[in-house]
Amino acid sequence: MITIEEARDIVRSKIRKLGTEEVRLGVCVGRVLAEDVKADLDLPPFDRSQMDGYAVISTDTSEAPVTLDLIGESAAGRGWDGVLERGQTVKTMTGARVPKGADAVQQIELAEANGSSVTILESAKAGKNIVKTGAEIREGEIVIPAGERITRAMVASLAAFGYSSVKAARSPRLAILSTGSEIVDVSEKPGPDQIRNSNSAMLSAFASDLADVSVLPIAPDDPEGLRTSISKALDQCDFLVISGGVSVGDYDFTKPVLKDLGAEIHFEKIALKPGKPTVFATSKDKCVFGLPGNPVSIAVTFLVFVRTALLLAQGASDPELRSGFAEVTHDIKGAKGRHGLLPVKTGFREDGRMIVESLKFSGSSNFVTFASADAIASVPADSGLRKGDTAEVYFF
Ligand code: AMP
Ligand code: MG
């Protein structure tokens, strides 16, 4: 048995980076940038007014109220081109260019217009309501570095700097293959010895924003059929995730078939609960994960191993789940000799501190309980966690 960290190191060492491609702005969220996104102009491109108001020379207003000559208007998209002189003001709208010579904008509510003059009712300090040229970012500066995964929050920046498409890592082609003679399609009513294929659907959902996913037909527990399914899958993917058949039962054929196909198995037993019999193999430049079929094991091992691998292949600078610390509200038993990665539900105490509610799992087959989970808690082997302890949690 190897540790979780050893297993993760092995996976990291085998990942090769995929190529790059241009991705349209409208569909780029979730993709990993393969180029630095740079500002192609100063932002703002001119001294910009933050308010509807009157551009003034601030020292003109120090003895406010003061009446100034209204000599023009600066609107968004149609700035005023002259130079403001003492005793003058220009009506200036939100987002418009502040006229040369002015150093403040007094908002409309603090002024009274009467024809060709305006009384400024309160003094305005230098800089008031003005965002200086380049205050947000300067032309040529990096807005988002290569290796970042594009979030929805980044889209406005991409658009504002002219990226109608971005250079991103190619999306990994991920094939999902569920095995098991008892597994039937979601649309079927299971017979007495059958269960519906929940793993393919869950894996597909977890992977949908990380890869180009294809779900393959269910493979029964028969070495010949499985061999054909795996070998076909390997022809058309970069990553293959196989659900089930990795333990030591009489009908667990995933490992022997992988070996038979010439795949190199790098590990097959991790000191982890759930997920001990997780298999990682490579076949030429393809990565294969054999995940234990219980739904909770599938979720944990996907999130901890496969997700990271898919992001590393795309050159992501931060391929891990976001983590934090939370207080445990119940004792959580440790597994003997195995580190626990236990799905939990996080929440907040009245004082704002994050807490972990341990869910009542009857076993790692318990997908109904798993439905409430939003994070995975790290549970030390043997000793476990006591009520009041602080646990590291990984959010998904
Ligand atoms: P295995 O890893 O093949 O020994 O499967 C372990 C448990 O997970 C068994 O109870 C299976 O019935 C269940 N299981 C395996 N594959 C799936 C699947 N695709 N969807 C739901 N449950 C599954
Ligand atoms: Mg099975």
Side-chain angles (χ1 to χ4, degrees):
M1 268 206 303
I2 59 172
T3 66
I4 299 172
E5 250 338 294
E6 285 164 344
R8 285 158 64 76
D9 284 344
I10 292 171
V11 172
R12 278 189 209 109
S13 73
K14 299 292 172 194
I15 300 297
R16 287 211 208 106
K17 275 207 209 157
L18 302 162
T20 63
E21 63 186 10
E22 282 292 315
V23 181
R24 280 184 304 112
L25 182 62
V27 291
C28 71
V29 171
R31 302 294 294 270
V32 178
L33 278 172
E35 63 178 336
D36 292 333
V37 167
K38 289 187 180 161
D40 70 337
L41 35 83
D42 289 339
L43 204 74
F46 46 75
D47 290 356
R48 184 175 65 198
S49 175
Q50 270 182 312
M51 287 281 181
D52 291 323
Y54 293 95
V56 296
I57 296 165
S58 59
T59 50
D60 274 356
T61 69
S62 35
E63 304 291 320
V66 60
T67 300
L68 304 172
D69 294 335
L70 179 63
I71 58 161
E73 181 188 88
S74 190
R78 191 168 33 81
W80 187 81
D81 285 327
V83 180
L84 197 76
E85 292 182 3
R86 300 210 65 123
Q88 298 181 330
T89 186
V90 165
K91 192 170 189 183
T92 303
M93 315 302 170
T94 304
R97 172 154 50 91
V98 175
K100 279 214 179 71
D103 67 349
V105 172
Q106 185 58 291
Q107 57 255 49
I108 228 158
E109 295 85 349
L110 301 176
E112 253 170 38
N114 17 46
S116 62
S117 67
V118 174
T119 302
I120 304 294
L121 301 172
E122 276 182 27
S123 69
K125 284 215 178 88
K128 187 177 185 193
N129 291 327
I130 297 177
V131 185
K132 295 294 260 180
T133 307
E136 288 173 30
I137 200 158
R138 288 276 178 195
E139 180 183 338
E141 281 181 359
I142 294 175
V143 188
I144 310 163
E148 288 266 332
R149 223 176 142 204
I150 300 172
T151 64
R152 286 180 278 259
M154 293 173 186
V155 171
S157 291
L158 299 177
F161 295 115
Y163 287 82
S164 53
S165 68
V166 289
K167 193 168 160 198
R170 180 168 73 70
S171 205
R173 292 167 306 167
L174 170 71
I176 295 169
L177 175 64
S178 276
T179 71
S181 297
E182 76 281 32
I183 312 298
V184 298
D185 193 74
V186 176
S187 59
E188 284 178 51
K189 184 89 185 162
D193 293 322
Q194 298 179 323
I195 58 170
R196 289 196 179 100
N197 181 9
S198 58
N199 287 348
S200 288
M202 173 167 63
L203 286 165
S204 175
F206 274 133
S208 64
D209 63 345
L210 298 163
D212 220 347
V213 178
S214 45
V215 173
L216 306 177
I218 298 160
D221 294 317
D222 136 56
E224 276 318 303
L226 190 58
R227 191 192 151 97
T228 311
S229 299
I230 292 180
S231 118
K232 251 205 236 161
L234 285 172
D235 284 342
Q236 55 182 45
C237 70
D238 306 301
F239 286 83
L240 171 61
V241 171
I242 304 170
S243 149
V246 289
S247 320
V248 290
D250 289 348
Y251 298 95
D252 288 330
F253 296 120
T254 300
K255 273 186 287 184
V257 167
L258 281 172
K259 281 183 193 149
D260 190 45
L261 283 167
E264 194 184 340
I265 297 196
H266 303 291
F267 61 75
E268 51 189 290
K269 214 178 263 180
I270 309 173
L272 162 65
K273 186 182 176 171
K276 179 170 145 190
T278 298
V279 174
F280 175 60
T282 48
S283 169
K284 296 186 196 116
D285 55 347
K286 317 288 171 96
C287 291
V288 184
F289 290 89
L291 309 183
N294 269 314
V296 182
S297 319
I298 288 277
V300 168
T301 51
F302 176 87
L303 288 166
V304 175
F305 300 108
V306 187
R307 179 183 182 278
T308 304
L310 292 170
L311 285 171
L312 282 174
Q314 297 174 76
S317 44
D318 183 10
E320 307 303 340
L321 291 171
R322 231 155 41 93
S323 65
F325 291 91
E327 189 179 308
V328 176
T329 56
H330 300 92
D331 291 356
I332 300 176
K333 270 203 198 129
K336 198 160 172 271
R338 288 191 285 156
H339 194 93
L341 289 175
L342 183 72
V344 290
K345 183 173 162 62
T346 57
F348 293 93
R349 219 165 52 182
E350 266 167 29
D351 64 1
R353 182 159 159 72
M354 185 176 280
I355 51 171
V356 159
E357 294 169 39
S358 59
L359 300 168
K360 294 243 171 318
F361 283 102
S362 55
S364 44
S365 58
N366 203 334
F367 49 80
V368 176
T369 299
F370 178 73
S372 307
D374 62 3
I376 294 171
S378 178
V379 183
D382 306 309
S383 61
L385 292 163
R386 295 232 156 247
K387 182 180 173 183
D389 281 356
T390 298
E392 183 158 23
V393 288
Y394 313 101
F395 304 99
F396 63 85

